Amino acid sequence: MNRSKAALRTTAVCLVATATLSGAAPTAHAAVEQSCLVNEVVAFSEPVTNTPKTVAVTVQGQLFNCTNGSAATGAYTETATLPNYTCTSLFYQGSGTRVFTWTDPTVVPSTYSYNRTSSRVGANVVILLLGSITSGTFTAEPAKMQLTALNPDPIACATTGISHLTLVGALTVGV
């Protein structure tokens, strides 16, 4: 056996031993394909108050510090019209689709279809989008986006309303 084969065998044994000692176990899914930080701004067609009304919502999101070098940054937009919308119903349950357009034009956009849940945790609203990439880069990969926003200002909700919200969080593809 030559030195390179011996070195490879020794490296493999060390990796297996390290994985065993660290408690790492193989998983059904090989690895996270992409992980990004997210900044999102949700704008309302008119300020949202405690009085129900139909509101058009536009979501503008930025993906950054992504781990996949070919898709290192990106953006998405989503629009919806929501009836009977109020400050207390800002974070509705439902489903949706977002298309992640990666900054590198050679990377095919990723279509993300998801189911949305939300909950209030202390002074925050936590939104969880669970689904999968249905087309484009990362097709057939499961995906999760978790976002957090401060609860809307109750005084503004009772008077002039709020015109937008800012959320921060993370996207994981291949969960």
Side-chain angles (χ1 to χ4, degrees):
M1 175 179 344
N2 66 31
R3 288 184 155 217
S4 359
K5 286 184 181 175
L8 284 174
R9 181 170 287 161
T10 301
T11 302
V13 169
C14 288
L15 288 173
V16 170
T18 301
T20 302
L21 291 174
S22 69
T27 60
H29 194 274
V32 170
E33 298 291 325
Q34 175 72 297
S35 181
C36 301
L37 296 178
V38 180
N39 278 337
E40 185 173 285
V41 175
V42 179
F44 307 108
S45 58
E46 60 181 287
V48 175
T49 64
N50 292 331
T51 304
K53 60 182 138 189
T54 298
V55 176
V57 178
T58 302
V59 177
Q60 299 281 334
Q62 298 295 318
L63 305 167
F64 61 99
N65 287 351
C66 301
T67 57
N68 186 300
S70 63
T73 59
Y76 58 91
T77 300
E78 183 178 11
T79 58
T81 300
L82 303 171
N84 300 314
Y85 211 55
T86 67
C87 278
T88 57
S89 65
L90 283 174
F91 302 99
Y92 59 94
Q93 315 305 321
S95 60
T97 301
R98 295 178 171 182
V99 177
F100 304 140
T101 303
W102 305 105
T103 306
D104 182 341
T106 64
V107 179
V108 177
S110 304
T111 301
Y112 176 40
S113 297
Y114 64 84
N115 288 312
R116 172 191 182 111
T117 59
S118 63
S119 58
R120 294 186 188 274
V121 180
N124 297 310
V125 176
V126 177
I127 299 168
L128 184 60
L129 309 176
L130 291 175
S132 64
I133 305 299
T134 56
S135 69
T137 302
F138 309 116
T139 295
E141 291 290 338
K144 172 176 79 171
M145 184 180 280
Q146 185 167 336
L147 301 162
T148 302
L150 291 174
N151 281 322
D153 177 11
I155 295 171
C157 287
T159 57
T160 59
I162 58 168
S163 59
H164 71 279
L165 287 174
T166 301
L167 300 99
V168 295
L171 165 71
T172 307
V173 177
V175 292

